[in-house]
């Protein structure tokens, strides 16, 4: 029997000292064979990334390896001096970090950053380094690599930046590639391309991959073996087929159960009876446009326009969820903000209960905004960190004259927090004291405080773990039933659309290319872009078969 490429034995990593010491990786053991993909699956805070950083010996100063060993090709990495460990990083183990924007050096070109690894580990001449860097960029699918090798990170899209990170990791021809959530920040079609690229490169080079993710769909596509992590421990480890066919641990079952899907929607009977043929509707958007001028020259003359939203029309009825789905840059968020007049619009009508919002003066618009609220994508940056939760929730009440006295407003905000699954005493805390899911609940409570009829939800679950996402989606459905709320739900997550939406509009390059009932669009798409979008979604195979 051949020896495994990597053996992690009883690894324990802690943060803090004395009584405050916490084991963030707790007695973790697993092996990875040559040429296989081993997936560490779990939610935020489970210890996945710290496990990878422990293997690489790249821990932050507050963290410390307490015990265990990491054997790579028969060599214990924990016994190597730092000078030898530098030779291992890049040459034997490559790493793709989660956020390419913060991992790439903004003042060095793509070529310079790849060259660093080649100089360090391949001992190449300057001419050979340039040639090899171009080959690597070509291998990871960067078009015109001989030209783009001299461009800087800000000149590349998110998916392209991740490809540069992959090229850098491959430059040292490593035996093991650690990929830490490499597709989390990417659109579904770009994610599909990156995963396909990793599989292709693995087949060509024979390298092993330690793939870190919280996404079960990605796990189903990539894994040979899977270890499920929770609070620093591996709670279940199996080959992919066995895990997906027969998950056993309660936490693994919880992860599977939390995934939004069409089947889950049908089981929970998430449908309403809305006559979309009726003329009367809550929100009617007609030929809506948001164009940004392109200015050039000394006098900054307008030479063209970026058509962020270009002639969009859609209806939203009371009590229904209309999803606007598309990739980054398609114009979804711009459309949502434009409807509320949070940015300058170019043309078109936004009729709310028959009244054109674009024609209202500032005072009338402010009053009307109590009926249309927005929940932003990032709950932390959308709250003032210096304000207590009570003041954040009550800000809209004060602006709209809701609640005669402070005592009444305190009672109302306490009730709102309870409605969204928090405690009344949370009023006296600050945003940083809450998790991401709790912060999003606070933002929903703030939106509800002014008694709206329509809430624009801008990617409200994209930054959340799957179990927290499930809680927020359940909360939104519950509130919709209680208050007959309408949602304009902006997202790129097709699974969320399957679960929560009644009607869906697909956006591409500022236009709605297809819209209709959710079943009609998702099950029988007509537009080529919609078909491409749906085909790129990673799906779970419940039987566990390949």
């Amino acid at each position: 029997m051949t020896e495994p490429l990597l053996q992690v034995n009883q690894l324990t990593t802690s943060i803090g000292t004395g009584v405050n010491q916490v084991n963030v990786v707790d007695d973790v053991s697993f092996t990875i064979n040559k040429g296989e993909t081993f997936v560490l699956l779990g939610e935020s805070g489970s210890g996945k990334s710290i496990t990878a950083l422990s293997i690489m010996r790249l821990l932050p100063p507050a963290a410390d390896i307490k015990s265990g060993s990491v054997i790579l090709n028969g060599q214990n990495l924990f016994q190597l001096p730092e000078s030898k460990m530098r030779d291992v990083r890049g040459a034997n183990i490559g790493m793709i970090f989660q956020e390419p924007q913060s991992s790439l050096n903004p003042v060095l070109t793509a070529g310079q950053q790849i060259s660093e690894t080649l100089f360090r580990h391949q001992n190449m001449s300057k001419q050979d380094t340039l040639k090899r860097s171009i080959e690597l960029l070509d291998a990871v699918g960067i078009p015109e690599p001989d030209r783009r090798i001299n461009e800087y990170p800000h000149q590349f899209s998110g998916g392209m930046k991740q490809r540069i990170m992959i090229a850098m990791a491959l430059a040292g021809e490593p035996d093991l590639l650690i990929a830490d959530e490499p597709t989390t920040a990417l659109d579904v079609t770009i994610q599909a391309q990156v995963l396909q690229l990793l599989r292709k490169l693995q087949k060509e080079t024979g390298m092993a991959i330690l793939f870190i993710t919280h996404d079960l769909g990605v796990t189903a596509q990539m894994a040979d073996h899977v270890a499920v992590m929770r609070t620093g421990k591996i709670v279940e480890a199996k080959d992919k087929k066995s895990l997906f066919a027969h998950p056993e641990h309660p936490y693994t079952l919880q992860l599977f159960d939390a995934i939004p899907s069409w089947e889950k929607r049908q089981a929970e009977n998430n449908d309403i009876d809305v006559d979309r043929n009726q003329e009367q509707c809550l929100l009617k958007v007609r030929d809506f446009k948001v164009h940004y001028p392109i200015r050039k020259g000394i006098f900054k003359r307008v030479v063209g326009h970026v058509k962020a939203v270009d002639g969009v029309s859609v209806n939203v009825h009371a009590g229904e969820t209309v999803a606007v789905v598309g990739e980054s840059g398609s114009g979804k968020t711009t459309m949502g903000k434009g409807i509320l007049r949070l940015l300058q619009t170019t043309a078109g009508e936004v009729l709310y209960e028959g009244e054109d919002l674009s024609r209202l003066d500032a005072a009338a618009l402010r009053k009307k905004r109590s009926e249309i609220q927005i929940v932003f994508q990032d709950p932390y940056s959308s709250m003032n960190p210096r304000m207590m939760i009570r003041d954040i929730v009550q800000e809209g009440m004060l602006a709209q004259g809701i609640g005669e006295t402070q005592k009444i407003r305190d009672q109302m905000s306490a009730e709102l927090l309870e409605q969204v699954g928090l405690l009344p005493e949370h009023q006296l805390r600050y945003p940083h004291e809450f998790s991401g899911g709790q912060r999003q609940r606070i933002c929903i409570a703030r939106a509800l405080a002014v008694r709206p009829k329509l809430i624009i939800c801008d990617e409200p679950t994209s930054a959340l773990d799957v179990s927290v996402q499930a809680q927020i989606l359940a909360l939104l459905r519950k509130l919709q039933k209680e208050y007959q709320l309408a949602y304009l739900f902006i997202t790129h997550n097709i699974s969320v659309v399957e679960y929560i939406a009644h009607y869906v509009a697909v956006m591409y390059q500022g236009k709605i290319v297809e819209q209709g009932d959710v079943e009609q669009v998702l099950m029988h798409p007509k537009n080529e872009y919609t078909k491409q979008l749906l085909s790129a979604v990673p799906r779970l195979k419940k039987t566990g078969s390949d």
Side-chain angles (χ1 to χ4, degrees), residues 250-293:
Y251 177 67
T252 312
L253 293 167
Q254 182 187 327
L255 285 179
F256 274 90
D257 188 54
I259 299 168
S261 65
W262 185 258
E263 292 76 17
K264 190 176 180 184
R265 171 209 186 99
Q266 290 179 313
E268 295 177 10
N269 192 25
N270 179 23
D271 283 312
I272 57 166
D273 188 19
V274 171
D275 181 9
R276 293 204 112 258
N277 296 317
Q278 62 177 328
E279 191 62 32
Q280 187 79 20
C281 66
L282 190 64
L283 181 74
K284 190 178 286 189
V285 180
R286 285 286 167 271
D287 199 26
F288 186 63
K289 297 178 183 178
V290 180
H291 295 177
Y292 297 114

Side-chain angles (χ1 to χ4, degrees), residues 132-144:
R132 180 60 181 150
S133 298
I134 292 171
E135 286 173 358
L136 284 164
L137 284 183
D138 187 46
V140 297
I142 301 277
E144 300 178 83

Side-chain angles (χ1 to χ4, degrees), residues 2-9 31-32 34 69-80 88 92-93 175:
T2 56
E3 189 177 285
L5 173 69
L6 182 80
Q7 292 172 279
V8 177
N9 303 313
T31 60
I32 303 178
K34 291 178 182 177
S69 63
V70 173
I71 314 295
L72 180 72
N73 284 324
Q75 187 176 43
N76 190 344
L77 300 187
F78 291 171
Q79 292 177 352
L80 295 180
V88 172
N92 301 109
I93 308 177
D175 303 313

Side-chain angles (χ1 to χ4, degrees), residues 55-285:
I55 292 169
M56 295 282 281
R57 284 175 52 186
L58 288 174
L59 290 167
D64 183 48
I65 295 168
K66 283 176 67 179
S67 61
S69 63
V70 173
I71 314 295
L72 180 72
N73 284 324
Q75 187 176 43
N76 190 344
L77 300 187
F78 291 171
Q79 292 177 352
L80 295 180
E82 179 57 26
S83 59
K84 294 289 185 186
M85 194 62 204
R86 288 194 201 107
D87 293 331
V88 172
R89 298 187 199 110
N92 301 109
I93 308 177
M95 187 159 184
I96 307 167
F97 293 95
Q98 182 171 353
E99 181 44 68
Q101 179 65 44
S102 58
S103 303
L104 293 170
N105 190 326
V107 300
L108 296 179
T109 64
Q112 287 171 323
Q113 299 193 55
I114 296 169
S115 297
E116 281 184 328
T117 305
L118 294 170
F119 277 130
R120 180 75 175 79
H121 299 292
Q122 300 291 342
N123 198 23
M124 287 183 175
S125 67
K126 192 172 182 181
Q127 189 176 354
D128 288 341
T129 298
L130 177 63
K131 185 183 175 186
R132 180 60 181 150
S133 298
I134 292 171
E135 286 173 358
L136 284 164
L137 284 183
D138 187 46
V140 297
I142 301 277
E144 300 178 83
D146 49 346
R147 178 180 66 83
R148 304 211 70 178
I149 196 166
N150 296 314
E151 293 184 359
Y152 293 87
H154 73 272
Q155 294 174 279
F156 293 89
S157 68
M160 292 292 184
K161 285 175 194 162
Q162 197 61 286
R163 288 168 185 263
I164 293 168
M165 287 288 297
I166 294 169
M168 289 169 62
L170 293 174
E173 299 178 5
D175 303 313
L176 173 68
L177 180 68
I178 299 176
D180 186 4
E181 299 270 15
T183 61
T184 299
L186 304 180
D187 286 315
V188 65
T189 52
I190 306 297
Q191 171 181 273
Q193 292 169 19
V194 170
L195 295 180
Q196 185 180 9
L197 172 64
L198 286 173
R199 287 196 300 270
K200 173 177 168 282
L201 294 169
Q202 184 180 38
K203 195 173 182 181
E204 290 172 358
T205 63
M207 66 182 176
I209 299 177
L210 172 57
F211 198 102
I212 293 167
T213 185
H214 65 274
D215 191 320
L216 276 160
V218 170
T219 302
Q221 278 196 4
M222 294 297 293
D224 294 309
H225 288 82
V226 186
V228 182
M229 281 194 81
R230 187 187 189 191
T231 60
K233 293 177 180 290
I234 290 178
V235 296
E236 186 166 1
K238 291 178 177 177
D239 64 86
K240 180 183 75 175
K241 189 172 182 179
S242 301
L243 184 84
F244 279 79
H246 306 291
E248 293 178 291
H249 193 276
Y251 177 67
T252 312
L253 293 167
Q254 182 187 327
L255 285 179
F256 274 90
D257 188 54
I259 299 168
S261 65
W262 185 258
E263 292 76 17
K264 190 176 180 184
R265 171 209 186 99
Q266 290 179 313
E268 295 177 10
N269 192 25
N270 179 23
D271 283 312
I272 57 166
D273 188 19
V274 171
D275 181 9
R276 293 204 112 258
N277 296 317
Q278 62 177 328
E279 191 62 32
Q280 187 79 20
C281 66
L282 190 64
L283 181 74
K284 190 178 286 189
V285 180

